[in-house]
Amino acid sequence: MRIILVRHGHPNYADDCLTPLGRKHAAAAAQRLRDEGIQKIFSSTCGRAMETAQHTADLLGLSVEGMDAFREINWGDENGQPMAFNGHPWDTADDMVARGQSLLDPDWATTPPFAGNRVVACVEKVAKASDEWLLSLGYQRDGLYYRVLKPVYHTVALFGHGGETAALLSHLFNVPFPFFCSAMGPDYTGIVVLTLPDQADGLVPIRFELVNDVKHIQGLRAENVFDR
């Protein structure tokens, strides 16, 4: 099975929709995805993601299944107190680098600067939702990896967000969340493709086929800003 992850187009965060540029991004992404053999489209229920997904759905004659669990993650002090960078995960991961801390620290969630940030609970929520979603697609979590039950589709697409994608990949690859915050900040309509074997007797690997492909928006690039 192939899983295609797509970040939303250039957004109007205040109104949770796409800007005119974002709609151009979404249209370009739809053209880029038209021959990928997508059989099912899923999306975060945030407006900017649903609107991006709809462009591809309309082109392919498919419907979009909204998924609340894959809405963009939240951040900030879990008790509502002020914190550095307002708890923004990309800034916080950069702070780890500045301090010389390992982005692969398995205790990142309980260690400053992430300790006490409500993003931790959001990452855990995405992890749980990821396993439920993969199970619905025919792959069952078993420890750190997955077993093939019976794949439902050959190729699916999930439209979402930068933070939610980092949380999803963190869980799927068993790599701490700060690593993906630092190493992979997807551009608008950046495309990530993952592959899983369709059959196997034991546990199966997940592999990257493509990471942050944005060739379809060349000439339409915009400053890559994450919701703050």
Side-chain angles (χ1 to χ4, degrees):
M1 184 179 73
R2 299 168 75 234
I3 299 175
I4 300 175
L5 307 175
V6 189
R7 190 187 176 204
H8 59 76
H10 187 259
N12 174 338
Y13 282 124
D15 295 329
D16 190 21
C17 63
L18 296 180
T19 64
L21 176 60
R23 289 191 285 275
K24 291 180 180 179
H25 287 163
Q31 291 296 327
R32 161 66 179 79
L33 296 169
R34 69 182 305 163
D35 296 323
E36 289 291 340
I38 296 170
Q39 297 163 285
K40 180 67 178 179
I41 296 177
F42 301 88
S43 176
S44 153
T45 52
C46 289
R48 55 195 183 273
M50 289 289 286
E51 189 177 348
T52 304
Q54 196 62 54
H55 279 74
T56 298
D58 289 345
L59 183 65
L60 299 180
L62 298 173
S63 61
V64 179
E65 181 176 334
M67 303 188 73
D68 288 335
F70 291 131
R71 291 176 67 87
E72 181 60 302
I73 58 179
N74 295 314
W75 48 80
D77 185 82
E78 58 188 9
N79 296 313
Q81 300 299 313
M83 62 188 310
F85 321 116
N86 196 31
H88 190 271
W90 277 267
D91 291 340
T92 306
D94 287 347
D95 187 52
M96 289 181 70
V97 173
R99 297 178 185 214
Q101 293 176 252
S102 173
L103 294 169
L104 298 176
D105 182 359
D107 298 321
W108 69 272
T110 57
T111 304
F114 272 103
N117 191 327
R118 65 176 180 267
V119 74
V120 174
C122 291
V123 170
E124 293 172 352
K125 177 182 177 181
V126 170
K128 181 176 183 294
S130 300
D131 288 344
E132 294 172 352
W133 183 50
L134 265 291
L135 182 59
S136 76
L137 299 177
Y139 294 81
Q140 184 176 48
R141 186 83 175 194
D142 185 347
L144 297 175
Y145 305 102
Y146 294 87
R147 291 187 182 278
V148 183
L149 299 181
K150 185 178 180 181
V152 179
Y153 303 104
H154 181 264
T155 303
V156 300
L158 172 62
F159 289 76
H161 311 269
E164 162 266 331
T165 296
L168 173 65
L169 294 175
S170 169
H171 182 63
L172 296 185
F173 286 97
N174 303 299
V175 173
F177 173 69
F179 173 83
F180 281 106
C181 289
S182 178
M184 201 204 79
D187 287 288
Y188 299 121
T189 62
I191 294 170
V192 175
V193 181
L194 309 175
T195 61
L196 295 86
D198 290 332
Q199 55 186 340
D201 294 329
L203 300 174
V204 299
I206 299 177
R207 293 191 171 96
F208 280 111
E209 179 181 307
L210 192 65
V211 177
N212 197 33
D213 175 21
V214 289
K215 291 181 180 178
H216 54 281
I217 60 168
Q218 294 301 319
L220 296 173
R221 300 293 290 275
E223 182 184 359
N224 191 21
V225 178
F226 293 92
D227 189 0
R228 294 169 189 264

